[in-house]
Amino acid sequence: MDRRDFLKSGSALVATASFSANLPAQQPSSMETGRLDLPVNRGWLYSPRVVEGAHERTFDDANFEKVVIPHTNIKLSWHAFDDKDYEFISVYRRHFKLPPEARGNNIFVDFEGVMTASTVYINGKKLGEYKGGYTPFSFDLTPHVDYAGDNVLSVEVDSTERADIPPFGYQIDYMTFGGIYREVSLRIVPQVFIENMVARTKNVLAAPRLDVEYYLQNTGYPTKAITIEATLLHGDTSLGTTKHEQPLPAKASEPEKLTLSFPSIDKVELWDLDNPNLYTLRLRLLHGSKLVDEQTRRFGFREAMFTDQGFSLNGNIIKLRGLDRHQTFPFVGQAMPARVQRRDALLLKHQLHTNIVRTSHYPQSRHFLDACDEIGLLVLEEIPGWQHIGPLPWQDISVDNVGRMIRRDWNHPSIILWGVRINESRDNHDFYTRTNALAHQLDPSRQTGGIRYFQESEFLEDVFTMNDFGWPLKPPIHGKYLNTEFVGHTYPVKQIDDDERHREHTIRHARVHDQLASNPQYAGGIGWCAFDYNTHYDFGAGDRICYHGVSDIFREPKPAASFYMSQIAPEKAVVLEPAFHWASSDEATHFSIAMVCSNCEHVKLAYKSKDKGDWVQVAEGDPDRQQFPHLKYAPFSFNVADVKQDFGDLRIEGYIGGKLVATKYMSGQGVDQKFVLLPDDAELMADGADTTRVVMRVTDEYGNIRPYANDPITLTLEGPAELIGDNPFALFGGHGAVWIRAKESTGKVKLTAKHPRLGEQAVEINIASAAAERA
Ligand code: GAL
């Protein structure tokens, strides 16, 4: 992008809210485990404007709207709206009663993500303001709660782009949206509790060891020592326990860092991309036979490091091939629940066949990261920011973001690199010395990177992570060198663009990976980007979208996605994907060259001759090693200009070892034939937030997209769910999607979608019961 004026600044205050790396969904939630983690996502009351007195406990909130978290402060179109639409201050209120067990314990509220600044009140008492939309924060409610009566949490959410908070202060090429968009919970913990913990694996390839670093906070527990018990679990099976007496840290408002080591552990199964083996570490605080507190964390045994010969996972060099991901979605911005976050990871791994994702440009949902752990998808996670560095107070927030990101996510085996610079900013020696030092101090096991756009940049990190949009790529100038962005704005492509443009898009991604494959010093590349995304006025195509994805904003693949899909060993999945559309046309841009992305060894194309009534071979060949000499699975290019004379359906055949392993047909008729509805899930939970996508496509008779279908689809939803999306929905490039969000009652939901000519399709989704919230 154009480089910005880096001198603009705003005033800033240092964030004061504390943060506990609490993971409510993974923790048992009963006082039997010493603590209570109570989700408080349902039953919020919302006002899109600030109302006098709204933070008081007795305020009459009958006119507020009942909402469930994740919540967006305003519903939007999927494009062509203004960021000013979501830039306002809103108020959220949540009444709650504490369970009787809460007495005598500490009570915290944990927010996982609120965009952008949150001033939090409990029972009318202001607790403070947290500045930052992508990082978690907590407040101590203990001195202010009413154990017997009604309590009211009230949050004033400032979703304006405040120059004092990263990433703001100048322009940014993505939208930030507004609202309490990640989960909230109450954490009720005893007078001494585990504030955080991290499994430190060592020497995993030879003789694995496991150390535990944990953070104890004592707010006045009435003993001098406590027993610590750590257990390594694989599923439910215990693989060993270690136990010792531990003097209690002094009573304090901050936790104390302590460590313990397992004396020995047996052979473990490593976490890797094909077998992402996960273990659980359980830590207990015991007072005699009484369980005082318990926490578990999931982690993996793996050795991940960037070397001068590339990225090494468990001693094997793996060429990194990935895409950048923004966490934004059509209509609701970032307010999507676990299932939808997880789906993106599944698409990246199982549809696009990437092995790494970068969480550009901020820490993303823990659900997304959990899915990456479970499926074996590597992650480069980075702090919030885009090109601009603010003054010192702004930098202080950014340094604090490094800590919050790492302390939240250090147990994820999928994360292999911390991004500790503001994406594409200028050098700033003092600032980046601080971010690197903090990252290394908190997590000596992981290397740091920091995404830059100029090679002369001062190299304070361990890995030189570089956005290189040029062609050919710059030679690597450091041993550990990773390309973190390419293609993007240099070649945006919409689903409705013609084949020539799609082909060029595909080639640009492929040739970068080809060059990356030519030199082991390139650890690999992460292309810009996975999915199209909403952006500001200064960027994008003129409708507030950057069409930079290999998939569109609905997560539907474009032809360039075929290249990524095809870069997988055929033993795992045979891929035969045309990177073009096929239909009778006399436009010069069509069909002179047909690109097929495939991991087959040989491909044959034949068309159904109108004259002869039979299949006529038009071309056959091996991968295009002239254009892509280094790729293991190079795309195929065929000259099909001759077919124009006698146009018909196309047959593509893929061969490995001389055997036919895949066949694909494409219609030559040029007629929209089918309208299909494809739900991602058949069941949702009745928790008011659970959501799934329903894809809509117009295809030919074989299921290939008809790229110019733009028909209005009329939608009818019956049952206990809400439709997220336009209705009618106008297809764009033959594709589209809406989301179905469960309400809080069980039942059957039916979505009927009517195409003006191709008829009606319907899908049913079961809404299953969800646990009630206790507070
Ligand atoms: C880069 C930037 C990304 C995105 C991309 C578009 O400069 O880091 O956030 O704007 O350009 O190609």
Side-chain angles (χ1 to χ4, degrees):
M1 311 296 305
D2 296 338
R3 304 304 151 200
R4 316 293 169 211
D5 169 6
F6 297 100
L7 300 174
K8 284 221 164 186
S9 64
S11 63
L13 286 171
V14 186
T16 51
S18 70
F19 155 59
S20 167
N22 186 42
L23 302 173
Q26 292 179 12
Q27 305 300 329
S29 192
S30 97
M31 229 46 197
E32 280 156 36
T33 56
R35 65 168 62 202
L36 270 179
D37 283 306
L38 304 176
V40 284
N41 297 311
R42 294 152 77 168
W44 283 84
L45 297 166
Y46 172 68
S47 161
R49 65 198 65 83
V50 178
V51 187
E52 181 74 29
H55 305 302
E56 297 307 322
R57 189 179 180 182
T58 52
F59 173 78
D60 180 4
D61 49 25
N63 289 331
F64 277 34
E65 185 193 349
K66 203 169 170 229
V67 301
V68 178
I69 310 299
H71 181 254
T72 178
N73 64 356
I74 186 168
K75 289 212 186 83
L76 298 155
S77 169
W78 64 273
H79 68 157
F81 57 89
D82 199 74
D83 52 275
K84 292 287 172 247
D85 294 350
Y86 62 73
E87 280 204 53
F88 57 87
I89 302 175
S90 57
V91 179
Y92 290 75
R93 283 170 62 88
R94 176 63 158 76
H95 294 256
F96 67 91
K97 286 204 168 54
L98 286 167
E101 311 95 287
R103 271 182 204 278
N105 290 295
N106 297 298
I107 298 152
F108 295 93
V109 60
D110 297 331
F111 291 89
E112 295 190 36
V114 183
M115 190 58 76
T116 295
S118 313
T119 308
V120 180
Y121 299 77
I122 179 76
N123 297 332
K125 164 87 187 149
K126 181 171 165 178
L127 299 173
E129 182 184 45
Y130 179 71
K131 297 179 181 189
Y134 298 104
T135 33
F137 59 96
S138 305
F139 283 101
D140 185 358
L141 307 182
T142 318
H144 315 290
V145 291
D146 180 340
Y147 286 93
D150 182 42
N151 292 281
V152 183
L153 255 181
S154 171
V155 190
E156 191 167 295
V157 178
D158 184 352
S159 305
T160 65
E161 301 190 350
R162 284 183 26 185
D164 57 331
I165 307 175
F168 304 118
Y170 201 47
Q171 295 167 316
I172 43 169
D173 170 24
Y174 51 94
M175 284 199 180
T176 51
F177 301 97
I180 304 183
Y181 75 98
R182 289 183 189 152
E183 290 95 327
V184 186
S185 55
L186 292 176
R187 175 167 40 104
I188 301 172
V189 287
Q191 295 299 324
V192 60
F193 64 95
I194 303 158
E195 186 267 344
N196 199 344
M197 60 197 255
V198 54
R200 301 260 185 231
T201 61
K202 307 256 161 74
N203 201 21
V204 300
L205 301 185
R209 282 192 6 242
L210 176 61
D211 295 343
V212 183
E213 189 178 300
Y214 62 102
Y215 292 76
L216 275 196
Q217 190 163 345
N218 183 3
T219 59
Y221 195 72
T223 61
K224 288 207 157 39
I226 200 144
T227 303
I228 307 287
E229 179 197 271
T231 305
L232 173 63
L233 295 156
H234 197 200
D236 291 336
T237 314
S238 165
L239 302 182
T241 291
T242 175
K243 212 171 176 173
H244 70 267
E245 278 282 294
Q246 171 67 47
L248 276 193
K251 182 176 166 186
S253 58
E254 291 299 315
E256 186 162 314
K257 174 174 151 182
L258 297 160
T259 50
L260 65 85
S261 300
F262 278 76
S264 68
I265 51 172
D266 288 342
K267 201 172 157 336
V268 287
E269 290 170 49
L270 297 178
W271 182 94
D272 68 26
L273 301 188
D274 291 332
N275 298 298
N277 288 299
L278 292 168
Y279 290 78
T280 301
L281 178 65
R282 185 180 69 204
L283 198 63
R284 283 181 165 160
L285 306 187
L286 298 157
H287 183 194
S289 61
K290 182 174 171 236
L291 179 59
V292 178
D293 193 18
E294 173 177 314
Q295 282 283 271
T296 59
R297 291 291 188 275
R298 208 171 61 167
F299 71 103
F301 291 88
R302 92 282 184 277
E303 185 195 79
M305 60 186 168
F306 287 81
T307 74
D308 290 351
Q309 283 75 46
F311 170 72
S312 161
L313 184 66
N314 302 328
N316 303 312
I317 299 291
I318 293 177
K319 188 65 89 172
L320 298 174
R321 187 187 62 254
L323 291 162
D324 290 88
R325 177 211 185 219
H326 268 302
Q327 65 176 13
T328 55
F329 290 87
F331 313 116
V332 294
Q334 323 196 84
M336 281 294 192
R339 187 187 301 276
V340 181
Q341 301 290 344
R342 295 175 61 90
R343 173 66 51 182
D344 271 4
L346 297 177
L347 291 175
L348 282 157
K349 168 97 183 182
H350 295 309
Q351 182 194 53
L352 298 172
H353 296 152
T354 57
N355 57 24
I356 186 166
V357 57
R358 169 171 165 229
T359 66
S360 50
H361 301 296
Y362 35 77
Q364 299 191 352
S365 157
R366 71 182 155 93
H367 303 297
F368 178 75
L369 299 171
D370 282 346
C372 293
D373 290 346
E374 289 161 25
I375 63 181
L377 178 62
L378 302 167
V379 180
L380 156 48
E381 188 172 43
E382 70 186 350
I383 51 171
W386 202 82
Q387 298 194 346
H388 164 78
I389 301 175
L392 200 55
W394 188 104
Q395 294 170 30
D396 290 343
I397 295 177
S398 186
V399 173
D400 182 69
N401 284 340
V402 171
R404 282 172 201 260
M405 170 177 79
I406 294 178
R407 297 191 88 245
R408 188 191 71 164
D409 291 334
W410 49 14
N411 285 297
H412 288 286
S414 56
I415 296 178
I416 55 159
L417 193 62
W418 300 121
V420 300
R421 289 171 68 108
I422 301 302
N423 173 64
E424 294 192 333
S425 54
R426 304 292 308 176
D427 285 345
N428 185 318
H429 179 82
D430 294 348
F431 176 30
Y432 293 136
T433 300
R434 288 173 70 199
T435 58
N436 274 285
L438 181 60
H440 286 134
Q441 178 217 320
L442 286 172
D443 187 5
S445 76
R446 282 184 183 84
Q447 290 160 311
T448 59
I451 283 66
R452 62 247 300 152
Y453 66 95
F454 58 113
Q455 279 194 329
E456 317 74 59
S457 165
E458 186 187 12
F459 187 22
L460 296 166
E461 294 75 32
D462 305 308
V463 181
F464 198 84
T465 41
M466 168 81 189
N467 292 349
D468 184 355
F469 283 91
W471 177 257
L473 299 173
K474 297 186 170 73
I477 50 155
H478 295 282
K480 302 168 186 70
Y481 188 97
L482 174 68
N483 192 339
T484 36
E485 286 185 38
F486 45 88
V487 185
H489 63 284
T490 65
Y491 209 79
V493 179
K494 305 180 187 71
Q495 295 281 22
I496 50 167
D497 283 332
D498 64 30
D499 273 335
E500 194 175 29
R501 198 161 178 95
H502 281 301
R503 184 171 61 247
E504 178 64 17
H505 192 212
T506 312
I507 289 172
R508 286 183 182 220
H509 277 277
R511 73 186 184 191
V512 169
H513 284 285
D514 184 71
Q515 190 180 345
L516 294 170
S518 72
N519 179 348
Q521 227 180 311
Y522 291 122
I526 305 179
W528 191 266
C529 60
F531 313 116
D532 293 347
Y533 56 96
N534 291 123
T535 190
H536 282 79
Y537 168 83
D538 327 77
F539 305 96
D543 66 346
R544 298 296 201 275
I545 290 199
C546 278
Y547 292 90
H548 299 171
V550 301
S551 294
D552 67 21
I553 199 165
F554 304 103
R555 280 54 180 159
E556 281 279 270
K558 302 173 191 171
S562 316
F563 166 72
Y564 286 88
M565 292 176 185
S566 66
Q567 300 305 297
I568 188 173
E571 299 76 46
K572 290 185 184 157
V574 173
V575 178
L576 185 66
E577 287 290 332
F580 57 90
H581 302 103
W582 184 255
S584 172
S585 158
D586 66 356
E587 289 185 10
T589 55
H590 280 68
F591 315 134
S592 44
I593 297 185
M595 249 187 111
V596 177
C597 294
S598 175
N599 52 9
C600 292
E601 291 165 0
H602 192 76
V603 166
K604 291 184 186 173
L605 299 191
Y607 71 98
K608 187 81 175 273
S609 161
K610 280 223 166 90
D611 298 344
K612 303 191 188 79
D614 205 356
W615 293 102
V616 177
Q617 180 155 319
V618 57
E620 72 174 296
D622 296 341
D624 184 352
R625 300 215 183 281
Q626 241 182 346
Q627 203 178 171
F628 311 107
H630 308 289
L631 280 174
K632 186 149 185 210
Y633 305 112
F636 295 72
S637 311
F638 297 107
N639 189 332
V640 290
D642 289 352
V643 184
K644 270 190 208 145
Q645 306 311 316
D646 182 21
F647 207 89
D649 292 1
L650 186 73
R651 188 181 70 198
I652 311 172
E653 292 177 331
Y655 292 82
I656 296 178
K659 273 184 35 198
L660 178 66
V661 289
T663 308
K664 197 140 204 160
Y665 295 93
M666 303 178 84
S667 173
Q669 306 309 311
V671 176
D672 296 348
Q673 292 285 359
K674 289 200 242 175
F675 170 57
V676 288
L677 271 192
L678 301 165
D680 282 340
D681 299 278
E683 184 164 282
L684 296 175
M685 308 290 283
D687 63 1
D690 200 6
T691 301
T692 192
R693 178 183 65 150
V694 182
V695 167
M696 297 175 273
R697 289 182 191 155
V698 167
T699 72
D700 67 11
E701 52 272 44
Y702 302 110
N704 304 292
I705 286 293
R706 297 279 306 142
Y708 304 128
N710 62 352
D711 315 272
I713 308 296
T714 313
L715 300 157
T716 316
L717 186 69
E718 298 158 77
E722 181 196 346
L723 181 71
I724 300 178
D726 294 342
N727 188 12
F729 183 101
L731 294 178
F732 185 74
H735 301 263
V738 292
W739 280 259
I740 305 285
R741 178 166 163 143
K743 291 189 176 162
E744 293 179 69
S745 50
T746 59
K748 289 261 179 283
V749 165
K750 187 175 177 193
L751 177 72
T752 311
K754 190 161 178 260
H755 183 281
R757 295 182 315 283
L758 300 173
E760 229 174 61
Q761 294 291 330
V763 293
E764 276 203 357
I765 292 166
N766 185 44
I767 312 288
S769 68
E773 288 187 351
R774 280 191 63 197

